């Protein structure tokens, strides 16, 4: 059974943060007053939005045929891994997140894939460089939310034929489990959003398999 959505914890500074927000202070201003990050303040004051799709996953149980189709597309025209985004707005200067994506030039096929996944993901036209001018459009469907990636990989894992992608799936599932555990232990706490040595190691090992 998937983990339940968390309720907001009563952090020592939460009451003050609520009062300051009602007075019109920005999240950045509140963060400076209470001594935590801006993102921590936002998540504490918006628990339902912060939790959405991170902790909860309601993927249906896929049929063997559906699992085979998805694995085949991921191995042939897709990818999975742990990405690293850099930005000054991140507390550590970067953020790590898991991903699974499928690309294909057949829009009808991609729409069928979206239906298998419950029509919860949008299909985007994948940007192409000048060297691809005149070629068919490439469509891309991406899954990034922790609980969704973990749930899907748990179902697909036995079906992977590629040893490399099967190993990446193992690393990604472990990464998701660690991150979700931290969210469950303290969604709005600063420690819940820090990356430990284990998560960094998993990212490095996954990247080495690219």
């Amino acid at each position: 059974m998937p983990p339940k959505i968390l309720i907001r914890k009563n952090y020592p500074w939460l009451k003050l943060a609520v009062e300051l927000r009602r007075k019109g202070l920005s999240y950045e201003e509140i963060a400076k007053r209470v001594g935590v990050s801006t993102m921590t303040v936002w998540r504490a004051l918006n628990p339902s939005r912060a939790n959405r799709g991170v902790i909860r996953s309601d993927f249906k149980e896929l049929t063997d045929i559906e699992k085979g189709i998805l694995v085949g597309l991921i191995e042939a025209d897709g990818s999975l891994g742990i990405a690293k985004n850099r930005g000054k707005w991140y507390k550590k200067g970067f953020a790590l997140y898991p991903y699974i994506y499928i690309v294909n030039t057949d829009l009808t096929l991609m729409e069928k894939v979206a239906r298998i996944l419950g029509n919860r993901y949008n299909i985007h036209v994948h940007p192409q460089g000048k060297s691809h001018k005149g070629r068919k459009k490439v469509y891309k469907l991406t899954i990034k939310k922790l609980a969704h990636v973990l749930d899907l990989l748990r179902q697909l894992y036995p079906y992977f034929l590629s040893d490399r992608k099967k190993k990446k799936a193992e690393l990604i599932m472990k990464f998701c489990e660690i991150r979700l555990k931290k969210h469950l232990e303290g969604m709005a706490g600063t420690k819940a959003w820090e990356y430990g040595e284990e998560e960094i190691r998993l990212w490095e090992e996954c990247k080495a398999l690219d």
Side-chain angles (χ1 to χ4, degrees), residues 78-131:
S79 183
L80 67 163
I82 302 172
K84 184 177 186 179
N85 272 2
R86 298 183 184 276
K88 61 182 180 181
W89 48 85
Y90 296 122
K91 187 173 181 181
K92 294 291 185 179
F94 67 89
L96 302 176
Y97 64 87
Y99 68 86
I100 302 171
Y101 72 73
I102 297 171
V103 295
N104 203 281
T105 57
D106 188 336
L107 179 57
T108 300
L109 172 63
M110 294 296 285
E111 289 173 340
K112 290 180 179 178
V113 170
R115 284 197 292 274
I116 289 175
L117 294 171
N119 286 321
R120 69 184 71 198
Y121 303 105
N122 293 324
I123 299 170
H124 301 280
V125 177
H126 188 55
Q128 300 185 66
K130 293 180 180 179
S131 61

Side-chain angles (χ1 to χ4, degrees), residues 101-163:
Y101 72 73
I102 297 171
V103 295
N104 203 281
T105 57
D106 188 336
L107 179 57
T108 300
L109 172 63
M110 294 296 285
E111 289 173 340
K112 290 180 179 178
V113 170
R115 284 197 292 274
I116 289 175
L117 294 171
N119 286 321
R120 69 184 71 198
Y121 303 105
N122 293 324
I123 299 170
H124 301 280
V125 177
H126 188 55
Q128 300 185 66
K130 293 180 180 179
S131 61
H132 293 84
K133 188 176 181 179
R135 296 186 184 181
K136 291 182 178 179
K137 288 183 179 179
V138 176
Y139 302 96
K140 183 176 183 180
L141 184 150
T142 306
I143 304 168
K144 294 181 181 178
K145 294 176 180 178
L146 284 169
H148 291 191
V149 171
L150 178 59
D151 194 354
L152 185 57
L153 285 182
R154 280 175 173 169
Q155 295 195 54
L156 301 184
Y157 179 77
Y159 295 81
F160 279 103
L161 297 177
S162 166
D163 291 337

Side-chain angles (χ1 to χ4, degrees), residues 80-82 98 149 153 168-176 206:
L80 67 163
I82 302 172
V149 171
L153 285 182
K168 290 181 76 173
E170 290 177 7
L171 297 171
I172 296 165
M173 286 191 289
K174 182 63 177 177
F175 176 85
C176 291
C206 199

Side-chain angles (χ1 to χ4, degrees), residues 16-26 30 33:
L16 173 60
V18 171
E19 292 175 355
L20 294 175
R21 186 61 178 163
R22 285 173 177 168
K23 291 179 180 178
L25 273 70
S26 68
I30 296 171
R33 290 281 295 273

Side-chain angles (χ1 to χ4, degrees), residues 163-207:
D163 291 337
R164 182 176 64 87
K165 289 195 174 181
K166 196 161 192 174
K167 178 61 178 177
K168 290 181 76 173
E170 290 177 7
L171 297 171
I172 296 165
M173 286 191 289
K174 182 63 177 177
F175 176 85
C176 291
E177 288 167 357
I178 293 173
R179 295 305 296 164
L180 284 171
K181 182 180 179 182
K182 286 189 175 183
H183 291 311
L184 287 167
E185 290 175 346
M187 187 70 191
T190 55
K191 296 294 182 183
W193 297 96
E194 292 182 358
Y195 296 103
E197 293 181 1
E198 182 69 2
E199 292 123 287
I200 299 297
R201 181 188 65 79
L202 291 167
W203 165 69
E204 290 175 341
E205 287 190 22
C206 199
K207 184 180 178 182

